[in-house]
Amino acid sequence: MSTTTSNSSRTAPTEYLKGPDETYAYRRVGGGIRRPLICLQHFTGTLDNWDPAVIDPLASDREVILFDSAGVGRSTGQVPTTVAGMARHALDFLDALCLVSCDVLGFSLGGMVAQQMALDRPSTVHRMILAASAPRGGEDIMHLEKPGLARYLGDPTLKGYAVLQKLFFAPTPSSQAAGGKFVERLGERTEDLDTPSGPAVAAAQIAAFREWEQSTATRFGDLKDIEQPTLVVNGVHDEMIPIANSYRLVENLPNAVLLAYPDSGHGSLFQYHESFTRQVSAFLSSNSPLAPY
Amino acid sequence: MSTTTSNSSRTAPTEYLKGPDETYAYRRVGGGIRRPLICLQHFTGTLDNWDPAVIDPLASDREVILFDSAGVGRSTGQVPTTVAGMARHALDFLDALCLVSCDVLGFSLGGMVAQQMALDRPSTVHRMILAASAPRGGEDIMHLEKPGLARYLGDPTLKGYAVLQKLFFAPTPSSQAAGGKFVERLGERTEDLDTPSGPAVAAAQIAAFREWEQSTATRFGDLKDIEQPTLVVNGVHDEMIPIANSYRLVENLPNAVLLAYPDSGHGSLFQYHESFTRQVSAFLSSNSPLAPY
């Protein structure tokens, strides 16, 4: 395990770690005495998609570790077509880091991977934050063919991160303004950039969403086995993974708190980064076995 | 306005204030430089039903004012049969106190009164906390005839506050244990007790719930006019006013955050009093015009 670190995700160097099957690209930000926080990324997102306004404050008193799953960015291998496959890569990566216990921030797809990790190896996951995510068997998960999403994805005038401003933020002046600032912040990293995701990454991850929409025999029944304190976060106008999925998470996870934000969509954590990082820091700092903090 | 105060709701003396139509019973707890917090009580609740574990921490850096609406406890007059009528009494009371602006904590029925106050006289309400409440046009509001509630209300073995332990807390050992502690805390006040509510109070308040269930022409449309930063709180297993009502509040209020608690019901604020008072203090201390804190 390297000791290279940085106080900002804008400048943290990309490092590489060999696991049993693949070599994973990752970055380490900040440091401190607290348990490390592993961040699991959204659909087609790479290391470069983490907002420094979210990562850097969280890294002020802990190490935050950003990670590309297999086949994403500069990690080797194929993108799995199931969330379970992605969870195995995340656990392989943590094993290679010799991390036996960590906190996990999973955003969107990353939140599904976090749930699966907690089910597959509970001892590794201490506390979880599930932002704009969904339970297995959830509804209307990442249907990019919906008119409300397709109009942006098919718009050739939206270059680079501009499509994220439309997709992650509500169609109000205030939310779109926050989206503009988010895009600016992502642009502040200019060197050592990750390889953008192509259609093959997107296709495999969409297949994983479709598989995740399949319910177990007892709908949401697997959530009862996730005992880790969990903070569920979402914006009330999320078009990509509607907030009803966050309602089902908090209703069925035995130990979860829901924080829902107004005037915001899939990227509420970026829009309200000051509130989000304050709440997450308080949640992660709690010594209680219960989620309320 | 009297200057009598106490640092605990267990011992705060009951005072009386003459309004234009009625004389209101009230108690003042704590003090400090912050804006006063007015607390509006639940169905049939009196001044004695406020949990000291919630009121006293909030009173550590502000004055908290507990208030009996007309016809409740030792306040004179008839209980209105509409939430609007109750809101008028609350505003009359604040006028008599010469309070031009305050924060409001409304629990259950009290949260409906708080919403109506914010609509009727926005300048008076600075920030609101709506705990276990519902919007106008909400669903399944206080239907005491439901088997899940009627079995406790019709149980002659449940004496005094014991019925609240069943009604306000989830049917799990952990939530019921928290309910037992809540009942113990209510019992710590032994002198200068309020007059318990009888059937006439209950009947009028039930009529107000039925009227509140009637939607406006555009369902939840009136919520768009409530611009105050609002914190909505509920337990995910609330049988009295199901949490779906809190979902509709945060989806339709333009400036509201939702905090939902696990393993708890209508009284989640009492079950998680440490978290609740910490969150409410942070929310009320924010200088932002936005609800996220």
Side-chain angles (χ1 to χ4, degrees), chain A residues 91-115:
Chain A
L91 291 169
D92 279 353
F93 169 71
L94 294 175
D95 288 344
L97 271 181
C98 303
L99 258 182
V100 294
S101 171
C102 61
D103 294 321
V104 181
L105 165 58
F107 173 40
S108 190
L109 173 60
M112 302 169 202
V113 177
Q115 292 169 65

Side-chain angles (χ1 to χ4, degrees), chain B residues 174-209:
Chain B
S174 43
S175 188
Q176 284 297 308
K181 289 181 187 167
F182 164 72
V183 167
E184 277 178 28
R185 292 192 298 268
L186 290 188
E188 288 171 8
R189 185 176 179 105
T190 55
E191 297 186 5
D192 179 26
L193 294 176
D194 225 341
T195 308
S197 295
V201 172
Q205 292 181 339
I206 288 287
F209 288 129

Side-chain angles (χ1 to χ4, degrees), chain A residues 3 22 37 53 95 98 104 110 117 144 170 201 207 227 262 268:
Chain A
T3 56
E22 307 298 345
L37 176 68
D95 288 344
C98 303
V104 181
M117 289 167 68
L144 304 183
V201 173
E227 294 174 355
S268 69

